[in-house]
Amino acid sequence: MTLLPANDTPQYAYETDPAAIYRQSFSIVRREADLSHIPDALHPTAVRLIHSCGMTDLPQDLTWSDDVLEAAQSAFAKGAPVFCDVEMVAHGIIKNRLPEGSEVICTLNDPSVHGLASELKTTRSAAAVELWRDRLDGAIVAIGNAPTALFHVLEVIAAGGPKPAVILGFPVGFVGAAESKDALAANPYSVPYLAVKGRRGGSAMAAAAVNALAAGLPEEG
Amino acid sequence: MTLLPANDTPQYAYETDPAAIYRQSFSIVRREADLSHIPDALHPTAVRLIHSCGMTDLPQDLTWSDDVLEAAQSAFAKGAPVFCDVEMVAHGIIKNRLPEGSEVICTLNDPSVHGLASELKTTRSAAAVELWRDRLDGAIVAIGNAPTALFHVLEVIAAGGPKPAVILGFPVGFVGAAESKDALAANPYSVPYLAVKGRRGGSAMAAAAVNALAAGLPEEG
């Protein structure tokens, strides 16, 4: 008689090869998502956005200007900085896939922002945009959290201030998010944009948009 | 005849008071979301999770162990560290609402992780979990991106290794995410957990779960 050890330990079988995970992921997205209304050149970006949130119905809410890819690529080529509303977006951007020397900047935790927000009677996220002014002209703006930050970027432009090369609009939530992205899509300043309409959004999508516009998909890299 | 200045500048009207934004947000969530199947003590956590992603149908996919809130609060009270799979989760946690001295730790970018991943034939995210071992016992684990990290935490426990106080399972995506969270919910080690079933998840949800379990809602703070 052989005593076998008691074994109620589950064995976890899962894919551990990063390249295979990416490949399978993007394959599922391409199979399930309807991208037919999206220009071919933006398919990698749409795929990456879906990949970031796990939702294949995201494309129905995407909105963009036809020049957004060209504008983003041109800005990256010129070494434009990427301004983010929150640290989460900044930390989701894959730095080593951006052109060498690209800067990713979040000013939300700058010591001056608290006072600025009180002075301007607005949120810290919107006040932090004030610190972008010197380098906002021709920059890439990625908003992944705060509707007020997106609104304030539009206000800066409306007042004749510096104009970013492209705005990636992914604020999320219930108060102002949908409205801020509608305002972005209706912007009369010809600022190229990509956004997800409605309440959905978030830092992961904003970072994914930057990563995709800068470098396409990992499977193609 | 009076010449008025040409004015096609849109005026943006939006809420700029942070407290009002929180209040309105949580009020909308409570009005629209069905939390009837969720224990009262977890409502603030559910509300905060919905708030983080803009989706009021999220509660239908939430899964938890009944002891998760108590386990998390007890771990925080003991000064347990919070281990995160990615920097985005770490940067979404509101440090000043955690108990004083709480540490938020992400080892993904530790210089040893690349080599460890090759050695263990797994992803960097799973390899980074190896660096948690010394302090994993009684810790809070927040997974917001990588199914492989969640699977590997379960493997460490299955092999008789250190056992965290609570696991917050929010990996996102198409390969292994749903399966890893099913495995978490079925864990036979009595590890308390909170997770969102299926493909949805993400860093913002994982961070929101930590913030809510540590400190409730801002409207109540």
Side-chain angles (χ1 to χ4, degrees), chain A residues 9-10 12 14-16 25 29 32 53-55 88 91-92 121-123 148 151 155 158 172 174-175 189 199, chain B residues 9-10 12 14-16 25 29 32 53-55 88 91-92 121-123 148 151 155 158 172 174-175 189 199 203:
Chain A
T9 302
Y12 299 110
Y14 59 100
E15 182 60 72
T16 57
S25 293
V29 172
E32 292 189 21
C53 65
M55 298 182 286
M88 287 185 79
H91 285 271
K121 297 192 192 343
T122 190
T123 63
T148 55
F151 271 126
E155 286 174 333
V172 61
F174 300 91
V175 176
Y189 325 111
R199 292 168 167 182
Chain B
T9 302
Y12 299 109
Y14 59 99
E15 184 59 72
T16 57
S25 292
V29 172
E32 291 189 22
C53 66
M55 297 183 286
M88 287 186 79
H91 284 272
K121 296 193 192 344
T122 189
T123 63
T148 55
F151 271 125
E155 285 173 335
V172 61
F174 300 92
V175 177
Y189 324 110
R199 293 168 166 181
S203 302

